[in-house]
Amino acid sequence: MAFMEKPPAGKVLLDDTVPLTAQIEASQSLHSHTEYIIRVQRGVSAENSWQIVRRYSDFDLLNNSLQISTLSLPLPPKKLIGNMEREFIAERQKGLQAYLDVITTHHILSNCELVKKFLDPNSYSVNYTEIALQHVSMFFRSEPKWEVVEPLKDIGWRIRKKYFLMKMKNQPKERLMLSWADLGPDKYLSDKDLQYAVKLLSSCSHPYIYKITFATANESSALVIRPFSEKGTLKDLIYKAKPKDPFLKKYCNPKKIQGLELQQIKTYGRQILEVLKFLHEKGFPYGHLHSANVMLDGDTCKLLDLENSLLGLPSFYRSYFSQFRKINTLEGVDVHCFGHLLYEMTYGRPPDTIPVDSFPPAPSVFVVSVLESILTCEAMKNGMPTVSRLLQMPLFSDVLLTNSEKPQFKIPTKLKEALKTSKECIEKRLTEEQKLIHQHRRLTRAQSHHGSEEEKKKRKILARKKSKRSAYESGEEHSAKYSNSNNSGSGASSPLTSPSSPTPPSTAEHASF
């Protein structure tokens, strides 16, 4: 097939989910404007950092682009007169730093292309929509039965994954969705195994897996076609969103926050756990569960994007579970992600922080019981429960599944071995990243402790004590020297002795006899 006739070999080594942090180091005033020098760092290594220079107008342009999210972002206001005064520049710098802190810690904003390009223009200078269109056009040369209806602009969160609405020429009313994606940093299958595994996806049949119409891959990317659902995903249901709208518009700031009914939570949760169990038993790695990857078909949940793990794409929640060393297997990752999804279904929004200290009132104590086993600090320390354990919990154990479709997904033995090796490599990279984060956290904690006011006081007290002890010891030494010098000066009363001769007894000793 002619799809991507001359692809660039290899995979994208950059993990787009590794958080970027930004610190304004200085400002410099030119003739008519002020520039802010910003240090940007990827992950925990200070060596992986660079400087960018931005004007207030650059911040303003970014902020205008982010308005689609409907979030109220803390960009300092414009000022036309007096904007070159030193005090004003210092105050504005503080405001711009607060703005950077917000957009780099907000889970959706920090992963969007607008913010990545602002902070890391060298890594995100490519127009991925154009690249995707070129690849799709090449595909259509050899598959003329398909036709693009329109691009589905920014409906997903991934920078290197693009979507198109499609139709078949002989069935013009039926709508399909094509997704194109680069290979990611966790691509460990050989090109041959990858192409075979991706092609095999269309043969997978399961009541809780969304059907794939066509799938193909090459040395650098993959293309998958599925039926398009007007109802959208589970996330669209929770957020009451329109499936074709951009990701930022749909999910950043929902107008009405409301969780699902208890029966929906129970049924959807059980269905999702069943399909995870099925994939784990088949030895097929997933690791990409979130509510936008679950399609709704009536009252049935169907899992999307099985291809992601094959292509080596990082998970939506990676920046969360990479913080916890006990979440070090793909099953553990799936369970952790299920916790996020269950929280969203219950409360209509994502958790504010991970781990979760306390949970708001829920439709059932059994919901909270499952959430506590996954999202609390204790759960992070002890490790995730298994999928089988979750299925046995009261929230899901009494759910009756009515679908009678028999699951089918035949994976040849040789490919199973390759998938097992790939899974181990994915887990190894995660473990190494977690180790670096853990070491950095320990170092930061030690430095913070060393620099704390209480620790400074302790060091001062210890220094004073040491100084006093030294002074006392030197005083003692001086007294001893003074005493010796006095003794050596009176020869008559202190007869000379040698090491070989005993000291003569004193007069007082003679008198006592």
Side-chain angles (χ1 to χ4, degrees), residues 1 9 11-12 45-46 62 88 93 144 175 181 203 260 291 301 336 386 427 433 439 444 453:
M1 121 175 312
K11 62 184 181 182
V12 177
S45 173
L62 171 66
F88 171 76
Q93 182 172 320
R175 289 292 178 262
S203 70
L260 303 182
S291 55
C301 278
H336 178 77
T386 62
E427 291 170 349
E433 185 179 337
Q439 288 171 347
T444 305
E453 288 301 317

Side-chain angles (χ1 to χ4, degrees), residues 120-152:
D120 188 6
N122 291 337
S123 298
Y124 298 97
S125 58
V126 176
N127 187 325
Y128 292 104
T129 303
E130 280 186 14
I131 292 174
L133 277 168
Q134 290 170 12
H135 292 199
V136 172
S137 299
M138 288 180 189
F139 164 70
F140 284 138
R141 287 179 197 170
S142 57
E143 296 285 345
K145 63 180 179 179
W146 311 97
E147 191 176 313
V148 171
V149 177
E150 61 175 316
L152 296 170

Side-chain angles (χ1 to χ4, degrees), residues 336-475:
H336 178 77
C337 296
F338 179 78
H340 283 263
L341 186 148
L342 181 61
Y343 191 102
E344 259 187 317
M345 287 199 292
T346 306
Y347 301 111
R349 60 179 181 83
D352 294 325
T353 57
I354 296 292
V356 180
D357 294 325
S358 60
F359 296 92
S364 164
V365 291
F366 294 143
V367 175
V368 176
S369 178
V370 176
L371 289 171
E372 285 176 342
S373 74
I374 300 172
L375 296 180
T376 58
C377 190
E378 189 181 353
M380 304 298 174
K381 287 178 182 175
N382 297 332
M384 298 291 99
T386 62
V387 171
S388 297
R389 172 75 190 99
L390 292 177
L391 282 165
Q392 292 167 4
M393 294 182 82
L395 183 64
F396 308 116
S397 60
D398 63 349
V399 176
L400 294 173
L401 300 175
T402 55
N403 203 307
S404 58
E405 181 188 339
K406 190 179 178 183
Q408 284 186 332
F409 193 20
K410 291 181 180 177
I411 303 173
T413 306
K414 194 176 177 184
L415 182 58
K416 269 190 178 179
E417 286 299 315
L419 289 172
K420 185 184 176 186
T421 303
S422 173
K423 174 178 170 290
E424 288 167 356
C425 291
I426 292 169
E427 291 170 349
K428 184 182 177 185
R429 185 175 86 86
L430 173 61
T431 304
E432 287 171 353
E433 185 179 337
Q434 288 169 333
K435 187 178 177 182
L436 287 174
I437 292 170
H438 179 70
Q439 288 171 347
H440 173 74
R441 197 182 290 137
R442 283 184 67 182
L443 180 64
T444 305
R445 204 181 296 132
Q447 289 172 341
S448 175
H449 178 67
H450 190 72
S452 69
E453 288 301 317
E454 189 181 340
E455 193 61 24
K456 283 178 183 176
K457 283 179 183 176
K458 281 182 183 178
R459 287 202 300 274
K460 278 182 181 178
I461 292 166
L462 284 171
R464 280 198 210 105
K465 284 181 179 178
K466 192 176 180 181
S467 177
K468 283 179 182 178
R469 195 182 300 119
S470 298
Y472 177 75
E473 286 171 354
S474 63

Side-chain angles (χ1 to χ4, degrees), residues 8 17 36 50 115 141 147 191 197 220 231 244 260 318 326 355 378 386 453 456 461 490:
T17 65
Y36 298 91
W50 56 92
V115 171
R141 287 179 197 170
E147 191 176 313
D191 293 340
S220 68
K231 287 186 177 180
K244 289 184 184 178
L260 303 182
R318 186 180 180 91
K326 287 285 185 178
E378 189 181 353
T386 62
E453 288 301 317
K456 283 178 183 176
I461 292 166
S490 54

Side-chain angles (χ1 to χ4, degrees), residues 59-202:
F59 280 89
D60 189 46
L61 192 64
L62 171 66
N63 194 60
N64 288 335
S65 301
L66 294 177
Q67 290 305 301
I68 191 171
S69 70
T70 71
L71 289 166
S72 179
L73 299 170
L75 184 72
K78 291 180 181 179
K79 187 178 181 182
L80 299 176
I81 299 169
N83 61 6
M84 299 298 286
E85 293 171 2
R86 185 181 295 175
E87 292 80 6
F88 171 76
I89 291 169
E91 198 60 33
R92 174 175 274 182
Q93 182 172 320
K94 285 181 187 175
L96 293 175
Q97 183 61 58
Y99 182 82
L100 286 172
D101 292 343
V102 168
I103 64 172
T104 54
T105 53
H106 188 284
H107 185 56
I108 294 177
L109 290 185
S110 62
N111 280 298
C112 81
E113 190 171 3
L114 294 165
V115 171
K116 296 284 190 186
K117 279 188 172 180
F118 182 82
L119 296 174
D120 188 6
N122 291 337
S123 298
Y124 298 97
S125 58
V126 176
N127 187 325
Y128 292 104
T129 303
E130 280 186 14
I131 292 174
L133 277 168
Q134 290 170 12
H135 292 199
V136 172
S137 299
M138 288 180 189
F139 164 70
F140 284 138
R141 287 179 197 170
S142 57
E143 296 285 345
K145 63 180 179 179
W146 311 97
E147 191 176 313
V148 171
V149 177
E150 61 175 316
L152 296 170
K153 198 169 185 299
D154 300 326
I155 67 162
W157 69 277
R158 291 187 188 278
I159 295 169
R160 305 168 201 272
K161 191 170 190 175
K162 300 299 174 184
Y163 300 85
F164 302 87
L165 194 65
M166 296 184 56
K167 65 181 180 181
M168 291 180 75
K169 289 180 179 176
N170 61 352
Q171 294 175 294
K173 290 187 177 180
E174 186 184 348
R175 289 292 178 262
L176 300 149
M177 184 173 72
L178 180 149
S179 64
W180 169 90
D182 259 343
L183 305 185
D186 279 323
K187 185 260 180 185
Y188 295 106
L189 290 172
S190 68
D191 293 340
K192 186 180 176 182
D193 285 335
L194 172 68
Q195 290 163 25
Y196 183 57
V198 167
K199 201 168 283 188
L200 198 67
L201 292 175
S202 57

Side-chain angles (χ1 to χ4, degrees), residues 231-242 250-251 254-261 264-265 268 272 290-292 294 296 301 317 340-350:
K231 287 186 177 180
T233 64
L234 179 57
K235 202 173 187 81
D236 293 326
L237 174 70
I238 295 168
Y239 288 74
K240 298 165 184 63
K242 295 176 182 176
K250 289 188 285 191
Y251 308 132
K255 291 176 183 176
K256 189 178 180 183
I257 297 172
Q258 186 179 356
L260 303 182
E261 298 290 330
Q264 287 177 305
I265 294 169
Y268 295 162
I272 291 163
H290 60 93
S291 55
V294 178
L296 279 177
C301 278
Y317 291 120
H340 283 263
L341 186 148
L342 181 61
Y343 191 102
E344 259 187 317
M345 287 199 292
T346 306
Y347 301 111
R349 60 179 181 83

Side-chain angles (χ1 to χ4, degrees), residues 322-333:
S322 60
Q323 304 292 320
F324 307 103
R325 298 173 80 185
K326 287 285 185 178
I327 307 174
N328 52 17
T329 66
L330 280 186
E331 182 176 5
V333 166

